[in-house]
């Protein structure tokens, strides 16, 4: 809302004589009512909806997606309830894919598993996520057009062991973190290379590290109580060995779900500023605007400059050319224009 309000204030002031701009800003910029700002965001969301639709189509054309969600407080009858913002990230960079990165956000009032099932209706491919059970329906046999292939997040699993190692200095947790870090280090050498190369290196260099880790964890857990925190953290891997080892059979799969977690970072920071969404409609608007703003940032595009330009031009561009306003096309056009101007 702040970003859009700034853009719209700029547009408003541009149409006033200079001697009236300061008075207008004092009157309209500082004392703007919350409902006015919300109306502005709503108008922008509606105007930019075609671009949100294009981003959704681009994201769902991917063969592999990252998925995650985070909380968003929503005002409801004098109190707040906990809604969710879900994100689905397309990032083909780790396996050398040429498609630009993008993220599509959705809002829901709760965290029921029916939401990701609805969001990904008609999509099939590889879904990287944490162990949230709500994604399980997507992988069930018989799902149409086909079950999704689930891939686990090693960073998420490592986090539990790292906390124990840091807090309790538990030797087994420290060793587990060291073994996992060796796998991450081996993965860094193949980041950005084609899937075939990644797969070959994984089969020869990384698979033995993974096999040794899982054999060692099983042996450790046999000697510990199931109530032991270290055993609990290790069993997070062992109970989902198929999803955690899936990256060894497909070069497109990442070792972690960090792409989705990074895309949610702005929401965590934003909650400290805007505190809550005023309604479900506000949550839906937030999801649409985050889709646009975070996608711009993923493509190294300044959201303020991009949105200001797009809002000024979008109504004059015919539908077949709307894709030209997507951040990666807009960036390429700006670079060409700047080169010609120079």
């Amino acid at each position: 809302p702040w970003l859009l309000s700034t853009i719209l204030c700029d547009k408003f002031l541009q149409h006033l004589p200079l001697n009236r701009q300061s008075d207008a800003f004092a009157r309209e910029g500082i004392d703007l009512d919350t409902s006015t700002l919300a109306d502005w965001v709503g108008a922008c969301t509606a105007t930019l909806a075609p671009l949100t639709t294009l981003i959704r189509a681009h994201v769902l054309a991917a063969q592999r997606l990252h998925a995650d969600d985070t909380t968003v407080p929503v005002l409801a009858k004098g109190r707040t309830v906990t809604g969710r913002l879900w994100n689905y990230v397309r990032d083909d960079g780790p396996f050398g894919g040429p498609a630009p990165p993008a993220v599509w956000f959705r809002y829901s009032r709760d965290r029921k598993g029916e939401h990701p099932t609805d969001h990904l209706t008609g999509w099939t491919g590889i879904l990287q996520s944490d162990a949230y059970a709500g994604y399980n329906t997507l992988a069930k046999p018989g799902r149409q057009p086909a079950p999704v292939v689930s891939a686990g997040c090693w960073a998420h699993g490592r986090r539990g062991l790292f906390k124990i190692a840091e807090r309790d200095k538990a030797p087994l947790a420290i060793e587990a973190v060291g073994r996992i870090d060796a796998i991450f280090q081996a993965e860094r050498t193949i980041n950005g290379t084609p899937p075939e190369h990644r797969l070959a290196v994984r089969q020869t260099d990384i698979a033995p590290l993974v096999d040794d880790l899982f054999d060692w964890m099983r042996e450790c857990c046999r000697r510990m109580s199931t109530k032991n925190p270290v055993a609990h953290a290790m069993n997070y891997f062992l109970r989902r060995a198929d999803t955690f080892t899936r990256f060894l059979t497909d070069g497109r799969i990442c070792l972690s779900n960090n792409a989705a977690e990074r895309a949610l970072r702005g929401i965590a920071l934003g909650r400290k500023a805007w505190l809550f969404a005023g309604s479900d409609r506000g949550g839906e608007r937030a999801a649409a605007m985050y889709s646009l703003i975070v996608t711009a940032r993923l493509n190294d595009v300044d959201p303020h400059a991009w949105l200001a330009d797009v809002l000024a031009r979008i109504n004059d561009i015919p539908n077949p050319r709307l894709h030209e306003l997507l951040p990666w096309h807009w960036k390429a056009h700006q670079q060409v224009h700047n080169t010609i101007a120079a």
Side-chain angles (χ1 to χ4, degrees):
W2 174 86
L3 177 61
L4 289 173
S5 300
T6 302
I7 293 169
L8 290 169
C9 274
D10 289 346
K11 295 298 179 187
F12 171 71
L13 292 175
Q14 287 170 10
H15 296 287
L16 291 177
L18 288 174
N19 62 349
R20 292 182 55 201
Q21 287 190 10
S22 58
D23 290 340
F25 186 81
R27 184 174 64 254
E28 301 291 338
I30 296 176
D31 298 326
L32 285 174
D33 187 78
T34 301
S35 63
T36 302
L37 294 176
D39 288 343
W40 283 1
V41 174
C44 288
T45 303
T47 301
L48 298 168
L51 294 187
T52 309
T53 300
L54 289 175
I55 288 174
R56 173 186 179 275
H58 177 74
V59 168
L60 295 183
Q63 297 175 338
R64 179 183 63 89
L65 292 178
H66 294 273
D68 204 355
D69 67 282
T70 191
T71 59
V72 52
V74 184
L75 194 62
K77 294 183 179 179
R79 62 188 182 93
T80 58
V81 296
T82 303
R84 312 295 297 195
L85 281 172
W86 309 76
N87 73 344
Y88 302 94
V89 179
R90 178 175 188 171
D91 182 9
D92 299 346
F95 60 88
V103 55
W104 178 47
F105 283 84
R106 291 296 302 273
Y107 163 81
S108 68
R109 174 59 79 92
D110 52 50
R111 203 194 186 201
K112 293 179 181 178
E114 65 194 46
H115 299 302
T117 301
D118 174 61
H119 301 160
L120 298 179
T121 298
W123 179 82
T124 188
I126 301 162
L127 186 68
Q128 297 219 234
S129 66
D130 58 23
Y132 170 55
Y135 299 118
N136 294 347
T137 302
L138 294 165
K140 284 186 176 179
R143 176 187 178 266
Q144 297 300 321
V148 303
V149 177
S150 298
C153 173
W154 280 74
H156 196 90
R158 177 188 179 277
R159 206 166 292 149
L161 288 161
F162 180 80
K163 288 179 180 178
I164 298 171
E166 189 176 50
R167 182 188 65 226
D168 302 334
K169 305 295 187 289
L172 289 178
I174 293 172
E175 182 173 352
V177 170
R179 287 172 177 255
I180 293 170
D181 286 349
I183 295 171
F184 272 98
Q185 182 58 39
E187 274 286 310
R188 290 189 188 99
T189 65
I190 57 174
N191 188 47
T193 61
E196 299 77 15
H197 178 253
R198 284 158 64 91
L199 183 59
V201 172
R202 285 169 174 175
Q203 289 293 315
T204 57
D205 299 344
I206 300 177
L209 298 176
V210 174
D211 291 341
D212 288 347
L213 172 66
F214 276 82
D215 289 343
W216 174 76
M217 281 184 172
R218 291 187 187 98
E219 180 59 31
C220 289
C221 287
R222 277 195 288 269
R223 294 186 278 107
M224 287 187 287
S225 165
T226 55
K227 296 181 180 179
N228 187 305
V230 177
H232 181 78
M234 288 183 176
N235 276 318
Y236 183 87
F237 283 94
L238 297 176
R239 287 195 300 268
R240 304 169 180 86
D242 56 338
T243 63
F244 278 107
T245 58
R246 191 150 283 142
F247 79 104
L248 297 173
T249 63
D250 193 319
R252 296 168 298 175
I253 298 175
C254 286
L255 198 59
S256 76
N257 195 38
N258 286 346
E261 294 191 3
R262 286 193 298 269
L264 291 174
R265 214 170 268 166
I267 298 174
L269 295 173
R271 280 193 298 254
K272 298 177 181 179
W274 44 258
L275 301 181
F276 54 80
S279 64
D280 289 335
R281 185 171 62 174
E284 291 163 1
R285 289 172 174 175
M289 293 313 305
Y290 274 118
S291 298
L292 297 164
I293 291 169
V294 181
T295 294
R297 287 177 173 157
L298 287 176
N299 288 275
D300 296 322
V301 170
D302 175 11
H304 187 284
W306 173 62
L307 284 173
D309 185 57
V310 167
L311 284 168
R313 297 169 51 206
I314 190 169
N315 289 328
D316 298 323
I317 292 184
N319 285 341
R321 293 181 52 200
L322 280 172
H323 66 279
E324 296 175 10
L325 297 179
L326 289 169
W328 49 93
H329 293 310
W330 182 89
K331 179 182 179 181
H333 175 78
Q334 293 294 112
Q335 289 172 339
V336 170
H337 177 76
N338 292 339
T339 300
I340 294 173

